[in-house]
Amino acid sequence: MSSIRIVRPRSILLASAAFTSFAALDLPTALAQQAREPLPPVEVSPVQSRKPANPAAREAQSTRRAAARRPPVASAVPKPAVPAAAAQTPLNTNAVAESASRLGLTVREIPATVEVISAETMREQGYRTVSEVAQGAVGVTSGDAPGEPAGFSMRGFTNSQINTLYNGIKIGPQNMTSRIMDTANLEVVEFLKGPASLISGEGAAGGAINLVNKQPHTGAIRNEADFSYDSLNSFRTHYGSGGSTNVQGLDYRFDISRSSLNGFVDDTYTKTLDVSGQLNYRISDSLKVWGAIEYREDRGKAYWGAPLVPVAFSGSHATTGIVSGSYFNRTDLGAVTIDDRTFNTNYNVLDNRNVGQEAWLRGGFELKLAPDLTLKSQAYGYGAERSWFNNEIEAFDSTTNRVYRERFYVAHSQRLVGNITDLLWDANIAGFDNRLVTTLSSSYLDFVRPGAANFPFDDVSLVDPVRGYYGLLTTKQQTARIDNEALSFEDRLKLTRTFALVGGLRVEHIGLDRNSTDSAGLVNAGFPFTKDWAPVTGRIGYTWEAVPGLTFFSQYATGADVSANNIFLLLPTQPLDLTTSRTYETGFKHLFWDNRAEWSFSAYDIQRKNVYAAAGGQALNIAGRQVSKGVELAASVRPIEPLRLWGNIAYVDARYADYNFAGGSFSGNTPPNVPRIVANAGASYRFFTPWPGELGIVGRHVGDRYSTDANTVTMNAYTVGDVYAFVDIPKTVFNAVDQARLTFRVRNFTDRRYAIWGDPFYPDQILLGAPRTYEISAAFKW
């Protein structure tokens, strides 16, 4: 296909010298977050290093932080996982959240709401995918709509309004780049709530979620293996190994995982493969270098949801408690329901496929230039190939009483290269401890998107449809290049032993070049075009430890992103304004009762301007403003050693404002997939017997949500629960390994039928949650 490419001068170029070697690279909760203290005799996953929980101990270490603190994930050497570490607190607030601050601060020291969910918690709670991890975080919901899997809702914002980072690096809008991802190779998942552009750049009106791979540690080599199987014939396997080699100063980590997760709908599944490795080499006391490589793959047959059906048509097969309301799109359906005959029905074509292949290459160094001055840098290259080949629309037609179907194909070929360089300076200014981080970053993204130029369609019966095949495919192509350069500063000034100011500023340049051609290779009207933005974002806040263990905080933060987030759906004739967001937040974090209890509270007010929203059929409307106000409360306590109780609740009031269009107004409406109430609660009891075991129960409540901006169809509130039991097998019984654990788990033990997610681009159908399933798993460590 012919195309026209615009070449424009770079207004800013901030890439460091480390980037040049990669320039030519072309690569193919507080439910969950309450990381429990490891209880003997089994600890299957390595525990990330943590700072001491005792405030006085933290203060005593303040003068040694430059030497002791590990560098940020997105900068140089990722923080190793050290098996022998300080005990974690009930809400895990002594974790260092790399995506929330480059200053190396713990969660309690950051003037924002941050959650860190560890590998140990993921394993004990049975979180198999990143989406399941998110469902265990405070106030977060998630869904795996096939067109944009691993979508999140947090503080009233969804999908690409929340940055998804991989080891601190953003690869593009979530609804274009995310995939279903297994958790086996992950060390932690971090949640930073509220506008987060200071750290992760453009985007992040609702926050950022950072996925961190397992890291090398210094010490004896430790191996681990995990296996699971469930009643849907799904299985997961994982092997990991890490530690010090025979070469002085050289540590490694290697993980490989494979899974086949079968859906409850006929002929649906996702198969994943993830291979990752990293080497850390300490050349001298002042210089460390590292390199990491990863390959991820997923292949599957997708479930696109159950169609909304008129209650009058379904009759005795109409369900209650899943959806309610009325709906009009192709035809007027009146009051709608989910027909119970469609619970397991697949309306996709027989030759459908979803495929994603991703490769990472990262490397960097950490150089101590002086006792109080450290230079860190990493260069990275990323490549991805993705494709969707499906029947995506399944809309019930009340004039024919059949299901209208429409095909769609799209593929991505993405290349991303970049560099992040940090200069950390620890100083004493007029008697006050101060740490300053200056960051230069630069990235270059090339994106090629061939897609369908025709959309074969047909109609099938609601029950037992003849699925057929895709049919004739013709394609057209869109291309994009996004250049991003940024200079940022972040600083922490301790005015007293207990009071600190934390702030930062980011100056960024975003450049977009776009082109689009039709099926004949001719350039479409309005293309090619170029657009540049130069947002300035930041954060200012304080932390005050009023009494030991009780920290108050407040912050004001801003964010910015390309207006529609999905840059391929915004037409050149639409306004190309920058979306901006800001938040006010205040709260506290309290650790007490000899570190056996912890609770936190936050209240926030967020506003986002120049918002674009899904209008259905791959189109966007400008929605003016979105405002979001809410509160979050989380607590965890161990009243006696065997018993742990935890829970959290989040309330948000999210609304559109100034959302007017030719056909009416959605002002005052709630964005899709945003529940007012999300609550989690759980309890576990440990038996300290010769065969140590644990029984646990987890409950989750999600309030009503709307499927589209029109707010005419409600996905009804639901409550689900899981139960589990595990036993640790003593080494005297099973001496082939050092540690062994067998777990039995029942998911959704009440077999509740519920709507888990709605894709506003496909408003005719709703994704249902999985029914009750049974799972058995085994974990070994030696």
Side-chain angles (χ1 to χ4, degrees), residues 245-314:
T245 68
N246 292 330
V247 177
Q248 180 67 30
L250 181 63
D251 304 325
Y252 81 97
R253 178 72 198 190
F254 172 79
D255 290 275
I256 180 170
S257 60
R258 181 106 193 192
S259 70
S260 178
L261 303 178
N262 293 326
F264 63 94
V265 173
D266 299 336
D267 190 29
T268 58
Y269 61 83
T270 299
K271 297 181 178 180
T272 68
L273 171 67
D274 192 344
V275 183
S276 59
Q278 180 167 324
L279 293 174
N280 289 354
Y281 184 35
R282 172 68 69 177
I283 297 175
S284 67
D285 291 341
S286 60
L287 177 61
K288 180 189 291 184
V289 297
W290 63 276
I293 190 169
E294 181 175 14
Y295 174 78
R296 288 199 302 262
E297 177 181 296
D298 66 90
R299 299 176 180 273
K301 289 182 175 292
Y303 165 57
W304 288 84
L308 296 171
V309 179
V311 172
F313 176 84
S314 291

Side-chain angles (χ1 to χ4, degrees), residues 498-563:
T498 60
F499 188 89
L501 294 177
V502 182
L505 186 70
R506 181 184 183 99
V507 181
E508 191 168 6
H509 165 256
I510 307 166
L512 168 65
D513 295 336
R514 281 205 58 202
N515 198 12
S516 176
T517 57
D518 62 19
S519 59
L522 301 177
V523 177
N524 289 316
F527 292 91
F529 73 89
T530 298
K531 180 65 178 179
D532 290 89
W533 300 271
V536 178
T537 57
R539 175 172 69 194
I540 183 66
Y542 72 85
T543 60
W544 174 41
E545 192 171 32
V547 297
L550 175 60
T551 300
F552 293 92
F553 72 91
S554 296
Q555 70 154 335
Y556 171 80
T558 62
D561 59 287
V562 177
S563 53

Side-chain angles (χ1 to χ4, degrees), residues 7 26 66-67 83 132 170 197 226 252 258 289 328 340 361 373 387 421 436 476 500 530 562 612 631 636 669 681 776:
V7 179
D26 184 22
E132 292 180 354
K170 181 182 178 182
S197 290
D226 308 272
Y252 81 97
R258 181 106 193 192
V289 297
F328 177 88
D340 63 15
L361 180 62
L373 195 63
S387 65
T421 298
L436 172 68
K476 56 186 177 180
T530 298
V562 177
Y612 278 77
V631 294
S636 179
N669 286 10
I776 187 169

Side-chain angles (χ1 to χ4, degrees), residues 7 21 133 191 205 232 318 330:
V7 179
S21 62
V133 176
F191 294 82
L232 293 175
R330 291 181 54 81

